[in-house]
Amino acid sequence: MNTFCIRPAQPTDVSHIHSMIVELAVFEKLEHLVVATEDLLHEGLFGVRPSCEAIIGEEDGEVVC
């Protein structure tokens, strides 16, 4: 049986989040406009003064898009 959960993003999820941003930009043919880096995402999500939040979907312990 598959288990699915939605949870708050953790610092270890930054690479997954960045990959999803890039994948969406490629799909929309806008990858040339992506300026986000993993470092910028980490700072925005988990820095001293976070400016955004993210949630992650997992199925059987694996991040899903």
Side-chain angles (χ1 to χ4, degrees):
M1 181 173 160
N2 293 354
T3 58
F4 183 81
C5 74
I6 296 176
R7 60 168 176 75
Q10 301 169 354
T12 56
D13 296 316
V14 169
S15 64
H16 291 291
I17 295 167
H18 185 262
S19 293
M20 288 187 263
I21 290 169
V22 172
E23 283 181 39
L24 178 60
V26 169
F27 177 79
E28 297 290 343
K29 298 182 178 26
L30 298 171
E31 62 269 24
H32 62 283
L33 297 177
V34 175
V35 295
T37 64
E38 289 186 22
D39 289 338
L40 287 173
L41 286 171
H42 189 275
E43 183 66 25
L45 289 164
F46 307 106
V48 176
R49 299 186 70 171
S51 58
C52 59
E53 298 177 350
I55 56 174
I56 297 291
E58 284 186 339
E59 186 172 10
D60 295 331
E62 297 293 322
V63 174
V64 294
C65 305

